[in-house]
Amino acid sequence: MAKKASGGRLFGGIDVGGTKILAMVADEDGNVLSTAKKKTKGEQGFKAVCERAAVTMLEAAEVEGLALEDLTAIGIGVPTPVLPDGTTAFAPNLPGWKNAPLIKNMETFTTRHCYGVNDGNAGVYGEYVFGAGKGSKTLVGLFVGTGIGGGMCFHGELIVGENSMAAEMGHIIVQEGGRKCGCGHKGCLEAYASKTGMARRIAWEIIQEGRASLLSEMVPNGSYATIKSSALLEAYRSEDGVAVDALRELAHYLGVGVAAYITLLGPDMIVIGGGVFESLGKELMPIVKESARQRTWPEASYKDTKITLAQLGDHAVGLGAAAHAMHRFDQEVMNG
Ligand SMILES: [Zn+2]
């Protein structure tokens, strides 16, 4: 029990994803004391997922010999905006999650104060409080995976807008009339600078244009969106033309988005994470930065923005949810 020696408060953080639930116990300094993991099994419906999330949280606590009562509060990161009344807005990948009573269920199942937050927002908040963004005042974060998650922090708070649904960073339009996005619009940043967007280009090059590529052996079933970042790295390092072109395009467009965020918000830092950048950050960051530099106005605001890689990896959402719970608990309960 040496890790508890500080005697400070402990918080729970839960990351509910489309395929897995990751729960963790964290202290006030962002140290992860223990974790537990389960499959989401979203097809079993909303209430069953909430119950599994609570059980996963309990298992993480038990690893440290704790009970849920030892946690001051629990934060839960979910793939949907969470409204002020604790209900979910919408979660396209989870059936039954539209206008669902997230916090009511979680508080029933855990008997603790619970706070909900969008998973992309949680990841950025985690980096802001405990990771690469520590010390920055205005932070923009982008996580490149199947989609683009992210968010914005300003002087200690997440910016979620008056509708609690803002900061959908991947859905700004970077190419009018361009590639179709999963959201139904055309030309979103996510349609170019995510793995899904990149997969569209790779499939076009290999299947329609007949370009030879290592990727066709690595992904024999042609579903390039599921390609592992480690395989992309291998193809990139082997100077596979299709992989190099597709990844450079992804980085180029991410830079287009970064320029828009800098011009709009004037952040002192931008953190970029997610599987693609965990594997290929060194190779892709210079392309992102040059693309952003060319499009930021005024140019001085580019120089004032530190663009750096995220640090928390798979723990970002859970730690961010825990940090968010700590922040909200102190605002609402401690201060009345
Ligand atoms: Zn979109």
Side-chain angles (χ1 to χ4, degrees):
M1 303 296 274
K3 283 186 258 180
K4 268 186 81 185
S6 70
R9 297 180 300 172
L10 299 175
F11 290 83
I14 312 176
D15 173 1
V16 177
T19 55
K20 69 173 194 328
I21 298 168
L22 173 66
M24 60 189 65
V25 175
D27 68 15
E28 290 179 87
D29 299 320
N31 299 304
V32 174
L33 276 63
S34 62
T35 63
K37 210 188 272 189
K38 276 191 193 301
K39 287 202 171 95
T40 306
K41 297 192 177 170
E43 72 281 359
Q44 293 181 356
F46 172 73
K47 206 168 175 186
V49 174
C50 290
E51 197 165 2
R52 288 175 74 74
V55 171
T56 314
M57 188 69 252
L58 175 63
E59 286 182 4
E62 285 175 341
V63 171
E64 275 292 294
L66 301 165
L68 290 177
E69 288 70 28
D70 294 311
L71 305 176
T72 302
I74 296 170
I76 179 162
V78 288
T80 161
V82 180
L83 305 178
D85 65 0
T87 62
T88 61
F90 52 83
N93 301 323
L94 290 171
W97 277 61
K98 194 172 161 61
N99 304 325
L102 176 70
I103 297 311
K104 186 167 159 270
N105 270 307
M106 289 307 299
E107 292 192 335
T108 301
F109 290 133
T110 64
T111 71
R112 310 310 297 153
H113 286 286
C114 291
Y115 299 91
V117 58
N118 167 265
D119 53 5
N121 285 188
V124 176
Y125 197 69
E127 293 288 343
Y128 190 52
V129 178
F130 297 131
K134 209 170 164 180
S136 84
K137 292 191 173 75
T138 301
L139 177 75
V140 171
L142 297 164
F143 298 102
V144 176
T146 313
I148 292 182
M152 302 176 284
C153 302
F154 178 76
H155 291 235
E157 301 289 338
L158 275 166
I159 301 175
V160 295
E162 297 307 319
N163 58 7
S164 304
M165 296 183 206
E168 285 290 347
M169 315 301 282
H171 298 284
I172 60 166
I173 310 283
V174 294
Q175 188 75 60
E176 180 66 19
R179 258 182 224 162
K180 194 150 192 206
C181 178
C183 74
H185 293 162
K186 282 184 176 174
C188 291
L189 179 62
E190 183 169 299
Y192 292 88
S194 69
K195 267 177 141 174
T196 310
M198 185 186 63
R200 296 267 305 274
R201 178 184 169 131
I202 292 172
W204 172 263
E205 299 261 8
I206 292 176
I207 297 163
Q208 306 291 327
E209 302 286 310
R211 264 180 99 179
S213 170
L214 291 171
L215 297 173
S216 48
E217 291 157 38
M218 290 170 168
V219 188
N221 61 2
S223 56
Y224 296 107
T226 62
I227 192 166
K228 289 209 163 28
S229 297
S230 54
L232 282 172
L233 176 64
E234 191 190 326
Y236 192 92
R237 290 220 172 127
S238 309
E239 296 177 9
D240 180 81
V242 171
V244 168
D245 289 352
L247 283 160
R248 284 187 181 161
E249 182 184 76
L250 179 151
H252 166 81
Y253 273 102
L254 199 69
V256 174
V258 164
Y261 305 133
I262 295 175
T263 299
L264 191 67
L265 273 176
D268 51 357
M269 192 184 288
I270 294 192
V271 297
I272 298 177
V276 173
F277 277 80
E278 279 166 26
S279 295
L280 284 133
K282 198 163 68 71
E283 289 80 3
L284 300 184
M285 277 299 250
I287 303 168
V288 175
K289 288 181 181 179
E290 180 55 19
S291 172
R293 189 192 64 76
Q294 289 173 8
R295 291 169 177 79
T296 304
W297 182 263
E299 208 176 325
S301 66
Y302 172 80
K303 295 197 194 92
D304 292 340
T305 310
K306 187 178 177 195
I307 305 175
T308 189
L309 289 169
Q311 286 177 355
L312 300 179
D314 289 346
H315 285 172
V317 174
L319 266 178
H324 176 77
M326 182 162 59
H327 183 60
R328 293 271 302 276
F329 180 84
D330 287 347
Q331 273 179 333
E332 293 170 16
V333 179
M334 302 292 280
N335 303 328

